[in-house]
Amino acid sequence: MTQTGEDCDGRGGETGAIERQRTMGRTGSDAPKPVAAAGGMILAAVLAGFWSLRSGSEDAAARIARTGVVRTGYAVEPPFAFVDAQGRVTGESPEVARVIWLRLGVERIEWMQVDCGSLIPHLRAGRINQIASGLADGLALSSPSIQQLADQHADMERAVPFHNATLTPGCGAFAFRPADQSLRDRFNPELRGFIGGRAHLELIEPLGCTRESLPGPTAATNKEKTP
């Protein structure tokens, strides 16, 4: 809020000067500053109330579109999400998220690293707008994660081919709150158009992901489980 810095004596002296100008028949080009200051304070209060009401009524999609900032949570699970040697958040899911949000006009992502078990509670509480990470149950690791483990440990070997009829393999995933359906509905069409294309494959191949590791027709659907 702008402060005028005027005291009572200052206001009185200025008012007296204006009154003398009127007595001499001059209109004066400046209005009494106390009135202007009071008007400015009232306008500021009205605007503050307006923005407070507006921010309270905005959904996540509208707020992100207005600010150009999205809060995204991830848990470390290479190659889906991790921090590189330069301190940059990377991995299959963060890199894809960057592309999609940029296409939607969102230029800034605020990353929040949490443990896997805290991702959904953070999402539910509204501390993050989106999860961008590898999502899997227990130790059901995805093919790229298993391959990376095998590459890093000489005493491990990936079984190829490996078939298991009872488990659904984990994959990179994005999650939104059910209440943020409009945000998810903005994200999904761009995601559908990107997954499996040349730009997508060129982006994820250096991370150890290939076309064979893509989840297929289940990707970018509107199906979701309520957290």
Side-chain angles (χ1 to χ4, degrees), residues 116-171:
C116 188
S118 298
L119 282 172
I120 289 179
H122 273 65
L123 186 66
R124 275 178 154 177
R127 289 188 284 270
I128 55 177
N129 305 120
Q130 173 197 44
I131 294 172
S133 189
L135 297 178
D137 295 328
L139 293 176
L141 299 178
S142 60
S143 295
S145 295
I146 295 171
Q147 183 62 55
Q148 187 166 85
L149 286 173
D151 292 341
Q152 293 174 349
H153 300 277
D155 58 342
M156 295 182 65
E157 182 179 358
R158 179 183 175 188
V160 180
F162 176 79
H163 300 286
N164 191 311
T166 62
L167 293 177
T168 299
C171 59

Side-chain angles (χ1 to χ4, degrees), residues 60-85:
R63 184 170 60 255
I64 291 169
R66 176 173 59 82
T67 63
V69 180
V70 61
R71 298 189 305 272
T72 301
Y74 70 98
V76 173
E77 186 197 341
F80 292 112
F82 60 98
V83 180
D84 65 17

Side-chain angles (χ1 to χ4, degrees), residues 6-205:
E6 296 179 356
D7 57 20
C8 293
D9 292 338
R11 291 197 296 269
E14 187 174 4
T15 304
I18 293 171
E19 290 300 327
R20 285 195 295 273
Q21 288 179 4
R22 288 176 178 170
T23 301
M24 296 173 63
R26 299 188 308 182
T27 59
S29 60
D30 55 341
K33 289 185 178 180
V35 176
M41 293 174 65
I42 293 172
L43 178 60
V46 171
L47 289 175
F50 171 77
W51 285 110
S52 177
L53 289 173
R54 177 174 176 176
S55 60
S57 62
E58 276 185 325
D59 63 8
R63 184 170 60 255
I64 291 169
R66 176 173 59 82
T67 63
V69 180
V70 61
R71 298 189 305 272
T72 301
Y74 70 98
V76 173
E77 186 197 341
F80 292 112
F82 60 98
V83 180
D84 65 17
Q86 289 71 44
R88 181 177 183 272
V89 178
T90 187
E92 185 271 342
S93 295
E95 295 299 341
V96 171
R98 284 189 176 98
V99 172
I100 303 304
W101 286 120
L102 192 60
R103 289 184 176 188
L104 293 171
V106 178
E107 298 184 354
R108 180 180 171 189
I109 301 177
E110 294 181 350
W111 299 101
M112 180 180 291
Q113 181 187 126
V114 297
D115 61 85
C116 188
S118 298
L119 282 172
I120 289 179
H122 273 65
L123 186 66
R124 275 178 154 177
R127 289 188 284 270
I128 55 177
N129 305 120
Q130 173 197 44
I131 294 172
S133 189
L135 297 178
D137 295 328
L139 293 176
L141 299 178
S142 60
S143 295
S145 295
I146 295 171
Q147 183 62 55
Q148 187 166 85
L149 286 173
D151 292 341
Q152 293 174 349
H153 300 277
D155 58 342
M156 295 182 65
E157 182 179 358
R158 179 183 175 188
V160 180
F162 176 79
H163 300 286
N164 191 311
T166 62
L167 293 177
T168 299
C171 59
F174 300 99
F176 300 87
R177 293 191 308 164
D180 292 336
Q181 180 177 343
S182 58
L183 183 61
R184 186 196 67 200
D185 289 348
R186 287 188 61 206
F187 192 87
N188 270 353
E190 291 291 344
L191 185 61
R192 288 192 193 97
F194 184 67
I195 287 180
R198 174 179 292 182
H200 179 222
L201 294 175
E202 290 177 351
L203 182 69
I204 65 175
E205 282 176 357

